[in-house]
């Protein structure tokens, strides 16, 4: 990986020099626009709509359009006076519980690596933050934009996650929220049963981008000169008569799917699933403070621990 930014974490009077790396990458298949006839690349020219002349890049400025359609032209000098920090610091503002930060605020993730002599204070802050079970709220200027961000620990490395500002989050003002929609107790019970049937430990490696794989296969077939085969469409299931029937059918399908995944056969799947269930629930109880299930009468629920796993 190549670092995209160098700076320092400012933690009280402690300064920790770091390098910043993009933690994620898009794996979409990219294309160029080409001439269908001969495959030639399509080029675009920067042409002014007023005089029709092609404009050199050095003569291009940023324009803000008013509601009237008029344009306010901003130059580099206008941007130079804006209060954007150039100190290359990641300023720690406060520490908060992890569950206080809604995931909708997160924009992009970056890894931080200690730079030069910053390894020891980096590890010190990392261990202290991990021990606290909290995340740091920080402010940083990246790519000509100042952002709030969180600083957390993942696999022994600081992860900087830039955040949207509060006024960038849209209000979900949907009409159904004002309606009095009645949910029957039996329906809620069946929905809860479906959730319990489908619960498990999240393993990202179990999922794949089927569209990208199929698209790559089409490209490879084109390269090799083979005929492209199209997969047969999947047969659609008959819609359920009502919500409760749909939930009940979903529970049965989830149980069947879980049995095939765990044991390959119906009998073996149930046995293997039963053997694996206690361990999974023990892990869940440890991480989230949720009591393990029992056929006996449940005791009063204990309050959740605020400390993150």
């Amino acid at each position: 990986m190549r670092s995209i930014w160098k700076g320092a974490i400012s933690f009280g009077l402690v300064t920790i020099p770091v390098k910043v790396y993009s933690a994620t990458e898009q794996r979409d298949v990219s294309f160029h626009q080409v001439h269908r006839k001969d495959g030639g690349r399509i080029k675009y020219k920067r042409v002014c709509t007023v005089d029709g002349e092609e404009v050199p890049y050095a003569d291009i400025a940023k324009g803000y359009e008013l509601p009237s359609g008029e344009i306010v032209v901003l130059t580099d000098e206008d941007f130079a006076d804006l209060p954007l920090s150039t100190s290359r610091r990641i300023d720690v503002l406060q520490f908060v519980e992890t569950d206080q930060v809604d995931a909708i605020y997160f924009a992009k993730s970056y890894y931080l690596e200690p730079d030069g002599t910053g390894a020891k204070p980096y590890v010190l802050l990392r261990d202290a933050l991990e021990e606290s079970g909290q995340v740091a709220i920080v402010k940083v200027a990246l790519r000509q934009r100042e952002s709030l961000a969180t600083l957390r620990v993942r696999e022994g490395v600081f992860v900087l996650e830039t955040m949207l500002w509060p006024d960038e989050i849209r209000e979900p003002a949907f009409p159904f929220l004002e309606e009095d929609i009645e949910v029957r107790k039996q329906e809620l019970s069946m929905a809860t049963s479906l959730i319990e049937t489908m619960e498990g430990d999240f393993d990202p490696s179990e999922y794949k981008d089927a569209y990208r794989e199929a698209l790559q296969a089409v490209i490879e077939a084109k390269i090799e000169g083979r005929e492209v085969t199209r997969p047969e469409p999947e047969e659609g299931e008959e819609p359920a008569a009502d919500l409760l029937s749909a939930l009940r059918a979903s529970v049965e399908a989830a149980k069947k799917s879980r049995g095939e995944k765990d044991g390959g056969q119906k009998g073996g799947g149930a046995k293997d699933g039963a053997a694996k269930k206690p361990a999974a629930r023990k892990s869940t109880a440890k991480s989230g403070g949720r009591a393990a299930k029992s056929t006996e009468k449940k005791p009063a629920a204990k309050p959740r621990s605020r400390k993150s796993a």
Side-chain angles (χ1 to χ4, degrees), residues 44-285:
Y44 293 90
K45 293 182 178 181
R46 295 179 289 270
V47 177
C48 177
T49 57
V50 176
D51 59 20
E53 298 292 329
E54 185 175 357
V55 182
Y57 186 80
D59 292 341
I60 294 179
K62 290 182 172 64
Y64 180 82
E65 185 174 0
L66 300 175
S68 62
E70 296 175 293
I71 300 294
V72 177
V73 179
L74 299 175
T75 65
D76 292 340
E77 290 74 18
D78 296 318
F79 287 98
D81 295 331
L82 296 180
L84 181 64
S85 174
T86 57
S87 61
R88 289 188 170 268
R89 290 192 313 178
I90 301 172
D91 291 317
V92 177
L93 306 178
Q94 66 176 138
F95 296 90
V96 302
E97 297 291 336
T98 304
D99 58 7
Q100 290 185 10
V101 185
D102 193 320
I104 198 172
Y105 284 98
F106 296 136
K108 187 169 176 56
S109 301
Y110 300 90
Y111 288 134
L112 303 186
E113 177 193 25
D115 189 20
T117 59
K120 184 172 182 178
Y122 181 103
V123 171
L124 174 62
L125 178 58
R126 179 200 67 186
D127 292 351
L129 185 60
E130 198 165 25
E131 180 67 22
S132 73
Q134 297 181 317
V135 295
I137 302 297
V138 304
K139 185 179 284 188
V140 61
L142 288 173
R143 303 186 187 279
Q144 298 300 309
R145 177 184 169 97
E146 187 174 66
S147 300
L148 275 180
T150 61
L151 200 61
R152 65 182 180 88
V153 181
R154 180 180 186 273
E155 297 181 357
V157 175
F158 275 131
V159 176
L160 180 77
E161 293 189 275
T162 56
M163 301 166 62
L164 301 171
W165 295 99
D167 60 358
E168 294 178 312
I169 306 299
R170 292 177 174 176
E171 187 72 22
F174 300 118
F176 84 93
L177 294 174
E178 303 298 327
E179 300 175 8
D180 185 16
I181 301 175
E182 182 180 356
V183 176
R184 291 186 294 169
K185 185 177 180 180
Q186 190 177 11
E187 293 171 337
L188 182 60
S189 176
M190 189 60 65
T192 302
S193 177
L194 175 58
I195 292 173
E196 292 173 349
T197 304
M198 298 177 67
E199 71 181 6
D201 296 324
F202 176 58
D203 180 4
S205 64
E206 292 183 356
Y207 305 94
K208 62 181 181 179
D209 187 346
Y211 176 82
R212 177 162 56 90
E213 290 183 358
L215 179 57
Q216 195 65 52
V218 170
I219 293 172
E220 291 174 0
K222 286 280 189 177
I223 294 172
E224 297 176 8
R226 294 185 287 107
E227 182 180 353
V228 179
T229 58
R230 291 182 173 83
E232 296 182 2
E234 297 182 1
E235 295 182 1
E237 296 183 359
E238 291 293 328
D242 54 44
L243 178 59
L244 187 59
S245 299
L247 289 168
R248 186 177 291 111
S250 298
V251 170
E252 293 302 319
K255 287 180 179 179
K256 180 180 179 181
S257 175
R258 179 59 58 90
E260 292 175 352
K261 183 184 294 185
D262 291 343
Q265 297 180 352
K266 187 173 181 180
K271 183 177 179 181
D272 292 346
K276 292 178 181 178
K277 198 85 171 180
R281 292 199 178 278
K282 183 177 179 182
S283 172
T284 304

